[in-house]
């Protein structure tokens, strides 16, 4: 397909405009990436210079102190009440543990240990 002389007269002045647009499109990706990097750097600098809030940490400490006080108050109430099922279960578990320790200390051997001797090397 050939270009007629009349079309050539119209196209030729627009060639420089098209070249400029193409150059801008090629540089746009690099420019936008550079702007984004500068923005991130400014934000990082601002965060570094600002004082960080500590309200959340202080609130947590107050909450823990209140919980400790409530537990201490609750513990005093449990001591005043008669021993319940939970106390009996705890006492039984403690006695069973003591019995196991006594059997180990009294010299009773473990039924699994000492039956087989492995002499392979």
């Amino acid at each position: 397909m050939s270009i007629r002389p009349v079309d050539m007269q119209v196209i030729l002045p627009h060639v420089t405009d098209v070249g400029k647009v193409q150059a801008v499109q090629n540089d746009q990706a690099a420019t936008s990436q550079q702007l984004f990097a500068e923005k991130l750097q400014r934000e990082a600098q601002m965060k570094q210079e600002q004082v960080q809030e500590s309200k959340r940490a202080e609130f947590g400490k107050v909450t823990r102190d209140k919980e400790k006080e409530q537990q201490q108050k609750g513990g005093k109430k449990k001591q005043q009440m008669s021993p319940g099922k939970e106390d009996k279960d705890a006492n039984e578990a403690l006695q069973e543990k003591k019995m196991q320790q006594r059997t180990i200390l009294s010299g009773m051997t473990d039924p699994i240990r000492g039956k087989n001797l492995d002499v392979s090397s």
Side-chain angles (χ1 to χ4, degrees), residues 32-87:
S32 65
Q33 188 174 8
Q34 184 179 7
L35 289 174
F36 184 70
E38 288 175 6
K39 180 181 175 185
L40 285 177
Q41 188 176 9
R42 277 186 265 130
E43 288 177 1
Q45 183 68 25
M46 280 182 61
K47 286 181 180 180
Q48 190 175 17
E49 292 174 355
Q50 287 180 346
V51 176
Q52 302 296 321
E53 292 185 25
S54 61
K55 292 179 183 179
R56 196 170 102 194
E58 291 175 3
F59 179 73
K61 184 177 180 189
V62 171
T63 303
R64 283 183 287 170
D65 291 343
K66 287 181 182 180
E67 288 175 359
K68 285 181 183 178
E69 289 176 8
Q70 290 175 355
Q71 288 176 353
Q72 289 174 352
K73 289 178 183 178
K76 290 178 183 177
K77 289 180 182 178
K78 282 187 178 179
Q79 290 174 355
Q80 293 172 356
M81 297 173 65
S82 63
K85 184 177 180 181
E86 295 173 358
D87 293 335

Side-chain angles (χ1 to χ4, degrees), residues 16-30:
T16 56
D17 295 336
V18 171
K20 289 179 184 178
V21 169
Q22 189 67 34
V24 168
Q25 287 178 349
N26 290 339
D27 293 339
Q28 185 177 9

